[in-house]
Every structure is written in C-alpha cells, then in structure tokens.
C-alpha cells in the first residue's frame, strides 16, 4: 500500500502485508519518484506497474501536476526509483488536481482519468488520457 505523507516533511511511504491485510509492515519511506497523493496502480501486460498520482515531491518541475510512474513491484519493494516518471498533464492552479482512476483495456491500453486545472484561468475539468507502455517507452526514448 502506498501512503501519502501529510506533513510534507518526508516522501510518501509504503507498507506491505503478506497475509491479505491481517498485519502490516512498518511504514518505509519511498524514493522521490513515487512521492505524491492518491496513487492508483495497475499492472501492464508486460508485468510492469503504471501508477497515476499527484506529484508532491519536495523539489520537482512537476510538483502539483498529474504524473505517472512506471516500474516494477520489486522497485517498490527494494526502494528504487523505478524505470521512469512522466508528467501526464500540467496543472495550472497550485495542487488542485488528481483523484485518478486507472483502467487497463484488453488490448493493453491504459486509460487514466482525473480532474484538474488544465487550462490557465479556467475552472477545473475532467480529462482522460489513453496510452500503452510501449508508447510511453518510445516517447521517453525520443527525448
């Protein structure tokens, strides 16, 4: 379970259960790449995780924005940064955004949906973004 850190003094935390939630490990701080609020995760067809959330990293060019993280369960378990993190959309009003839903379609397409202030000076509205992990991989390789 990924946990937000409300005092904003630390990164987000993770806890683990090996008995279907009857007991939990002590909270452990996550790397900066997974620091945020309202994490929602789905496994992709290749076994990697996609996690959608609002970035609350202490120092980040995407702070307050809607971001996605790609990595493995072992990255989370081992406390490593993961494969990469991407800005899904730039929120234009502070940190008022992102209670995401994430679905995986049968063809391997992710659909993630949330609200935010995506247009400067306008009220918040809801958007959905569709992509595959292959498309994200290729986009990041072309940077």
């Amino acid at each position: 379970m990924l946990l937000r850190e409300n005092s904003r003094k630390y990164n987000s935390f993770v806890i683990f259960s090996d008995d279907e939630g009857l007991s939990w490990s002590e909270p452990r701080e996550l790397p900066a790449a997974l620091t945020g609020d309202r994490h929602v995760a789905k496994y992709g067809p290749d076994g990697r995780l996609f996690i959608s959330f609002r970035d609350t990293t202490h120092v980040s060019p995407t702070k307050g924005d809607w971001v996605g993280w790609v990595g493995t369960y072992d990255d989370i378990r081992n406390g490593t940064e993961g494969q990469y993190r991407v800005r899904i959309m730039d929120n234009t009003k502070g940190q008022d955004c992102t209670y995401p839903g994430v679905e995986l379609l049968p063809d391997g397409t992710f659909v993630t949906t949330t609200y935010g202030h995506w247009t400067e000076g306008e009220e918040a509205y809801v958007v959905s973004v569709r992509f595959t992990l292959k498309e994200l991989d290729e986009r990041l390789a072309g940077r």
Side-chain angles (χ1 to χ4, degrees), residues 25-47:
S25 67
E26 288 296 314
R28 189 172 73 209
E29 199 170 357
L30 286 164
L34 275 166
T35 294
D37 296 338
R38 309 170 187 142
H39 301 83
V40 179
K42 292 278 184 188
Y43 280 101
D46 63 4

Side-chain angles (χ1 to χ4, degrees), residues 4-11 13 58:
R4 72 191 271 171
E5 198 287 309
N6 286 336
S7 75
R8 307 298 188 213
K9 294 178 184 175
Y10 305 97
N11 292 344
F13 289 88
H58 303 290

Side-chain angles (χ1 to χ4, degrees), residues 45-46 48 70 84 108 110 131-141:
D46 63 4
R48 290 183 292 167
V70 176
Y84 54 81
F110 283 93
F131 55 86
T132 64
L133 291 179
K134 181 180 178 195
E135 289 170 336
L136 286 182
D137 294 343
E138 290 171 353
R139 176 178 155 205
L140 290 170

